[in-house]
């Protein structure tokens, strides 16, 4: 566990798996994201009971992706999330998805269930926790439901997958690059001291700046996709310093493929979502 201060902790995963946050307040404890494995979520709960006797009040989901939400089923607290996150999780066919996984992981996830948020908000919700204020804001970008969790006065922003630090960004068919970049600029305006990425090490404003640069470059490369194949782009630009120093190298091409699919599917929408 990485500690930001004596009341906010992050499970920084050295293998690039999704981060989880622990916020200890006067009124109780709030978790941010529950990881992919229920067993891991249980370990986070154990960590919480090892540092405080305060009750675990909520787990907030930053977006619907399973590496941030599947552990919900192991946590004994209501899930907080946007109506869009709830909708995605309710529609997701977990049992079919499990069949696509390696046998060992299938076994580990045998009893895992999707628990959609029960404390639901449309765009924003805040929790007055006595000594801290916890704000959850739906922003969109990485996915339509991507949300941020601000903790004040500590000045911490849990960015979910709007920020990847040290790893390639996961760009999906439903990602919206223009909105994503715009929202990173909005985080800068709020000027939080600490940036907690969805994947990778905790940092500060530098992580936001690097992410903006990454996405702007990705966006300009994706314009070449009409002329060149994804492989050709990876060969040519994979060594660019903006991309070369990030882990999960395979995600670069996968993201280009997803971007292309997304553009074919929602070309019109993507263009009208510029604002
Ligand atoms: Zn994600």
């Amino acid at each position: 566990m990485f500690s930001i201060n004596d009341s906010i902790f992050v499970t920084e995963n050295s293998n690039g798996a999704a981060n989880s946050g622990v916020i200890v307040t006067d009124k109780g404890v709030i978790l941010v994201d529950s990881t992919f494995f229920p067993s891991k979520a249980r370990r986070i709960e154990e960590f919480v009971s090892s540092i405080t006797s305060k009750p675990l009040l909520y787990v907030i989901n930053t977006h619907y992706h399973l590496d941030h939400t599947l552990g919900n089923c192991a946590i004994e607290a209501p899930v907080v999330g946007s109506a869009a996150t709830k909708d995605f999780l309710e529609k997701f066919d977990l049992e079919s998805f499990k069949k696509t996984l390696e046998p060992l992981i299938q076994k580990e996830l045998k009893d895992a269930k999707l628990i959609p948020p029960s404390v639901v908000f449309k765009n924003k919700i805040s929790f007055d926790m006595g000594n801290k204020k916890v704000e959850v804001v739906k922003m969109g970008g990485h996915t339509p439901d991507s949300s941020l969790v601000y903790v004040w006065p500590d000045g911490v922003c849990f960015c979910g997958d709007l920020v990847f630090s040290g790893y390639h960004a996961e760009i999906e068919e439903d990602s919206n690059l223009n909105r994503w970049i715009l929202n990173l600029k909005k985080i800068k305006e709020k000027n939080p001291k600490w940036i907690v990425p969805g994947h990778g090490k905790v940092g500060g404003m530098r992580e936001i700046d690097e992410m903006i640069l990454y996405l702007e470059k990705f966006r300009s490369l994706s314009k070449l996709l009409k002329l060149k194949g994804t492989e050709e782009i990876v060969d040519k630009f994979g060594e660019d310093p903006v991309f070369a120093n990030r882990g999960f190298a395979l995600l670069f091409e996968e993201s280009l493929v997803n971007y292309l699919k997304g553009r074919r599917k929602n070309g019109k929408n993507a263009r009208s979502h510029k604002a």
Side-chain angles (χ1 to χ4, degrees):
M1 282 277 178
F2 175 85
S3 47
I4 286 180
N5 55 35
D6 59 8
S7 58
I8 303 180
F9 306 86
V10 179
T11 59
E12 272 184 343
N13 289 293
S14 52
N15 60 0
N19 291 329
S20 228
V22 176
I23 307 161
V24 184
T25 75
D26 278 354
K27 292 189 180 170
V29 181
I30 296 180
L31 301 184
V32 180
D33 284 339
S34 59
T35 79
F36 187 66
F37 292 105
S39 55
K40 209 168 177 179
R42 267 189 291 274
R43 285 205 299 279
I44 295 168
E45 259 194 312
E46 280 162 23
F47 168 77
V48 170
S49 40
S50 76
I51 56 163
T52 177
S53 55
K54 287 186 176 142
L56 181 52
L57 298 177
Y58 301 108
V59 52
I60 299 169
N61 286 161
T62 58
H63 62 302
Y64 73 92
H65 283 160
L66 262 56
D67 55 337
H68 299 256
T69 54
L70 194 52
N72 287 354
C73 63
I75 292 171
E76 307 249 341
V79 180
V80 178
S82 70
T85 303
K86 179 174 189 261
D87 199 42
F88 277 118
L89 288 178
E90 280 176 350
K91 285 181 183 150
F92 192 84
D93 182 356
L94 180 65
E95 293 313 311
S96 303
F97 170 75
K98 281 184 189 171
K99 290 184 189 129
T100 67
L101 301 169
E102 288 170 31
L104 262 180
I105 299 181
Q106 279 192 36
K107 205 174 156 206
E108 156 109 41
L109 296 179
K110 199 166 67 72
D111 300 322
K113 283 194 298 262
L114 277 176
I115 307 291
S118 55
V119 180
V120 177
F121 62 93
K122 188 162 183 268
N123 294 311
K124 194 176 165 175
I125 192 168
S126 358
F127 299 91
D128 175 0
M129 305 302 294
N131 62 336
K132 294 187 200 294
K133 188 179 172 195
V134 177
E135 285 179 312
V136 194
V137 192
K138 191 185 87 171
M139 307 289 279
H142 165 68
T143 51
D145 65 331
S146 289
S147 305
L148 302 172
V149 181
Y150 287 107
V151 187
W152 307 109
D154 306 76
V156 177
C157 180
F158 288 89
C159 299
D161 284 357
L162 288 177
V163 178
F164 287 74
S165 167
Y167 295 94
H168 276 277
E170 186 190 348
I171 295 165
E172 298 286 351
E173 281 180 51
D174 62 355
S175 297
N176 182 321
L177 289 185
N178 293 329
R179 180 167 296 179
W180 192 337
I181 293 166
L182 196 81
N183 287 336
L184 289 168
K185 290 178 180 168
K186 284 187 187 161
I187 299 174
K188 282 189 79 162
E189 283 166 23
K190 293 249 185 180
N191 200 26
K193 198 170 157 209
W194 297 90
I195 293 296
V196 182
H199 299 257
K201 282 189 185 315
V202 174
M205 239 6 105
R206 201 182 75 170
E207 276 59 36
I208 298 284
D209 288 332
E210 285 180 359
M211 198 66 212
I212 292 173
L213 209 65
Y214 179 99
L215 293 172
E216 284 178 344
K217 191 110 197 183
F218 186 95
R219 188 173 57 180
S220 69
L221 290 186
S222 61
K223 294 201 172 116
L224 296 174
L225 282 170
K226 276 186 205 145
L227 310 166
K228 297 181 193 297
T230 50
E231 244 174 83
E232 213 179 321
I233 290 182
V234 171
D235 281 350
K236 203 162 170 203
F237 297 98
E239 296 305 309
D240 185 302
V242 172
F243 299 116
N245 300 326
R246 289 178 180 251
F248 294 159
L250 290 176
L251 256 186
F252 186 27
E253 186 169 2
E254 213 176 294
S255 288
L256 285 165
V257 171
N258 288 339
Y259 177 83
L260 204 60
K261 275 195 213 155
R263 207 170 55 176
R264 284 196 190 121
K265 221 190 249 175
N266 343 289
K268 267 189 200 154
N269 296 341
R271 273 194 296 277
S272 65
H273 279 163
K274 259 185 186 150

